[in-house]
Amino acid sequence: MEKLIKQAAPAAPSYSGGAAGATGYEHVVQRGETLSAIAKAYNVTAKAIIEANKIKNPNRLSVGQKLFIPE
């Protein structure tokens, strides 16, 4: 799964979203991915992703859901 996530990550930060002026990555959730696995692949905390995306239930990610991954 990490291989798939790393392939989806752009080579350089190219997305700004989340908090005003924040830079990072956009990640599209794939089947079987968990928040903790996504966080590990981008070397950020799950808490940072939860806060940046205002996720109410981190156990309920949807396939195709776009997440902002802060740097």
Side-chain angles (χ1 to χ4, degrees):
M1 179 167 30
E2 278 187 47
K3 182 179 176 183
L4 176 65
I5 294 169
K6 287 180 182 179
Q7 288 174 347
S14 62
Y15 179 77
S16 61
T23 59
Y25 305 95
E26 180 180 80
H27 178 83
V28 179
V29 177
Q30 303 296 313
R31 186 174 194 211
E33 290 181 333
T34 64
L35 188 61
S36 59
I38 294 167
K40 183 177 179 181
Y42 286 94
N43 199 29
V44 299
T45 64
K47 182 178 179 182
I49 297 172
I50 291 166
E51 290 175 357
N53 293 279
K54 299 178 180 145
I55 296 173
K56 293 182 177 150
N57 185 348
N59 297 315
R60 293 221 175 237
L61 296 180
S62 301
V63 173
Q65 179 179 357
K66 292 181 181 180
L67 297 175
F68 173 71
I69 312 297
E71 277 192 301

